[in-house]
Amino acid sequence: QVQLVESGGGLVQAGGSLRLSCTASGSIFSINIMEWYRQAPGKQRELVAFITTGGSTNYADSVKGRFTISRDNAKNTVYLQMNVLKPEDTAVYYCRYSSGGTGSWGQGTQVTVSS
């Protein structure tokens, strides 16, 4: 089983930046995908970005050009650098680890962007 701990959320003004971190521990397979999701009040959870072990990335259209996902495999940590934040980015952000058909979720971290 893999445990995930997220950090870095908070309150920021529109146009500002935040960096989220998620560190994995436990039975981590060397080949895996790390993902960031978010869920705004009253909305479904949506995929924001993912990154493979090899560094391939993909982003939701709504965050392309503003968010950057990266990872440090030696530290089992994935990051989400969020720039030019908008009020519509307000949500709970969740980290997810997946490998071989199994997955684990973090507890979530709140990001609030004020206008």
Side-chain angles (χ1 to χ4, degrees):
Q1 195 170 2
V2 174
Q3 295 77 44
L4 302 169
V5 177
E6 299 126 331
S7 61
L11 173 64
V12 64
Q13 288 188 332
S17 299
L18 283 174
R19 189 176 83 151
L20 306 182
S21 299
C22 172
T23 299
S25 62
S27 302
I28 300 168
F29 289 98
S30 59
I31 306 298
N32 59 68
I33 295 175
M34 297 295 291
E35 303 161 302
W36 285 101
Y37 285 76
R38 67 185 181 187
Q39 187 167 18
K43 295 188 176 182
Q44 290 189 330
R45 193 172 296 189
E46 62 174 353
L47 178 64
V48 175
F50 72 79
I51 185 167
T52 68
T53 308
S56 297
T57 60
N58 199 11
Y59 298 89
D61 287 342
S62 58
V63 307
K64 281 181 181 177
R66 300 188 298 121
F67 291 10
T68 302
I69 189 170
S70 61
R71 64 189 291 167
D72 184 334
N73 290 332
K75 296 181 179 180
N76 293 320
T77 299
V78 62
Y79 306 96
L80 186 67
Q81 178 66 44
M82 306 185 293
N83 298 328
V84 195
L85 282 161
K86 305 175 181 180
E88 50 264 44
D89 294 318
T90 295
V92 178
Y93 284 71
Y94 297 90
C95 174
R96 184 174 187 269
Y97 161 95
S98 63
S99 181
T102 64
S104 299
W105 290 93
Q107 81 286 356
T109 185
Q110 176 69 47
V111 171
T112 303
V113 184
S114 63
S115 57

